[in-house]
Amino acid sequence: MSAASLWRRSEPLILASGSTTRRAMLLAAGIPVDIVKPEVDERGIEAGLAGQGASAREVAQALAVAKAQAVAQERPGRLVLAADQTLACDGANFHKPADSAAAAAQLASLGGRTHHLHSAFALARDGEVVDDGVASASLVMRALSPDFIAAYCAAAGPAILQSVGAYQIEGLGAQLFESIEGDHFTILGLPLLPVLAALRRQGCLVS
């Protein structure tokens, strides 16, 4: 049985994300995807939720839902998957760094501490959420010297600017950590196993 034959729908899943990592995970799991980048005010939504005392986990879920609904409203009848990831450390929330200096500062702040990644997903059709979920991982970053941070940022290059936390654990980012609790997919930004279970519930995959 080929990977493509596991997918039961005539049309691909719409992935409401520009993330090449999420796209690669889905394709590797046999899920055909069309890419449609959502247009939502992420920082505005997050600011509103912060005013309500929402946790980083709740923010990730709300952002995934907003993205899925936005794209599903534009693509009637299509099933849309959106995802979001937040990083929290001792009550502070982190975002993708704007430049290498911000990445270095972020790594210095996270060094020697435990932080938490929350990866959420939402499935929507015709603007309505039909399934969603969130998974979390705890990561202990080792103490990082200024020399290491400078060398790491130079070696990793602009790719780290695409990652909340300023690291890509599937590459050089593995050198940053002492220990990790949580599955690899969640750390990469998509709780793939819950997503696959949700797609099976929707009748999209051979069970």
Side-chain angles (χ1 to χ4, degrees):
M1 179 179 289
S2 69
S5 66
L6 296 175
W7 182 252
R8 300 182 63 182
R9 296 296 178 92
S10 59
E11 296 178 311
L13 176 70
I14 291 180
L15 176 60
S17 171
S19 168
T20 56
T21 300
R22 291 183 180 121
R23 177 179 180 272
M25 278 193 279
L26 290 166
L27 291 175
I31 312 300
V33 296
D34 288 335
I35 304 297
V36 179
K37 293 182 180 180
E39 295 185 7
V40 298
D41 181 7
E42 295 186 47
R43 298 290 79 84
I45 293 171
E46 186 170 356
L49 291 168
Q52 301 171 23
S55 67
R57 184 182 176 95
E58 292 168 333
V59 169
Q61 189 69 79
L63 288 170
V65 165
K67 294 174 184 178
Q69 289 179 319
V71 173
Q73 288 171 351
E74 300 173 355
R75 300 291 193 278
R78 297 288 299 274
L79 187 63
V80 176
L81 170 67
D84 197 84
Q85 185 181 63
T86 57
L87 187 159
C89 183
D90 294 337
N93 294 333
F94 291 73
H95 303 100
K96 293 177 182 177
D99 52 35
S100 59
Q106 191 160 303
L107 291 171
S109 179
L110 294 172
R113 304 163 74 188
T114 300
H115 67 264
H116 306 279
L117 288 174
H118 307 289
S119 293
F121 79 92
L123 283 172
R125 184 185 293 108
D126 296 323
E128 297 294 327
V129 174
V130 296
D131 213 323
D132 63 359
V134 59
S136 301
S138 297
L139 300 89
V140 181
M141 192 173 284
R142 66 184 183 85
L144 306 174
S145 69
D147 286 345
F148 175 84
I149 291 173
Y152 172 79
C153 289
I160 59 175
L161 304 182
Q162 303 304 313
S163 171
V164 62
Y167 56 81
Q168 292 185 313
I169 202 165
E170 66 273 29
L172 291 177
Q175 295 200 31
L176 299 169
F177 296 96
E178 287 184 1
S179 63
I180 294 172
E181 293 183 6
D183 74 70
H184 189 61
F185 302 121
T186 295
I187 295 167
L188 292 182
L190 182 69
L192 184 60
L193 300 184
V195 167
L196 295 176
L199 291 172
R200 285 191 289 270
R201 287 192 290 271
Q202 294 299 313
C204 296
L205 290 169
V206 177
S207 297

